Amino acid sequence: MAEAPVLPELARSLRALGHQPNPASEAAHAAIFAPLLDARTSAAGASAEVVLSAMRGSALVARIEANAVDAAVDGVEDPARVRALTAQTAELMAPLRAALVALDERSESAAQGDAGWDAWIAQLRAAFSAADTACSALSRLIAGRNEQVATLRWFERIGR
């Protein structure tokens, strides 16, 4: 690729869709999209090698998952609830993780020519779409994280 590749606009922000901001959606959006948009900013106008390096899926997924877990457990003090929220967050991030791993799998062919680059861009679009879905799911998880499950502990079942 002789010239600097052009990255298309990829982020469909919740704000752009008319979503009313609230603390849960803001936290989810920051957790997921901050690393993606930082990487895209670093890649803008750069050579193909720099673009592929900046948009490396394995590095992005590590940052996003850490941010998402931090956002999900923020303010939760019960260790069992923290573990549950961490597990739920990992489940919610699984499709995004898969999309970003697939991005890395296509990066070698992207450096080889236009057909590989087009396939990589298509996967990058799929990753941003998965990020939108993950953001909505994480927002719902954060909003509902303080709801208490009405289960009785064993010792509470004993009649008094």
Side-chain angles (χ1 to χ4, degrees):
M1 235 175 245
E3 58 191 54
V6 176
L7 285 177
E9 183 55 47
L10 299 164
R12 296 180 302 152
S13 173
L14 293 175
R15 291 179 197 95
L17 296 173
H19 183 77
Q20 295 298 323
N22 62 54
S25 64
E26 293 292 324
H29 192 272
I32 292 173
F33 281 101
L36 289 170
L37 296 177
D38 287 347
R40 188 181 184 307
T41 300
S42 297
S47 68
E49 294 79 25
V50 172
V51 170
L52 294 172
S53 177
M55 301 299 295
R56 210 176 77 232
S58 58
L60 289 169
V61 77
R63 286 182 57 203
I64 290 169
E65 286 181 337
N67 289 351
V69 168
D70 288 346
V73 302
D74 184 42
V76 178
E77 295 191 20
D78 177 32
R81 188 76 177 130
V82 168
R83 287 190 303 276
L85 288 168
T86 300
Q88 288 174 315
T89 302
E91 288 175 16
L92 295 176
M93 295 299 117
L96 178 55
R97 182 183 317 108
L100 290 169
V101 167
L103 188 64
D104 282 350
E105 293 168 357
R106 287 175 177 73
S107 65
E108 186 175 324
S109 65
Q112 302 301 318
D114 290 340
W117 182 258
D118 291 342
W120 185 83
I121 289 291
Q123 184 57 43
L124 186 59
R125 288 182 196 278
F128 269 79
S129 179
D132 280 332
T133 303
C135 186
S136 295
L138 182 60
S139 177
R140 287 189 301 274
L141 178 70
I142 292 169
R145 72 178 164 212
N146 294 325
E147 295 176 8
Q148 295 296 323
V149 179
T151 57
L152 296 176
R153 294 187 181 138
W154 180 82
F155 60 85
E156 292 174 331
R157 294 180 186 171
I158 299 172
R160 294 183 183 200

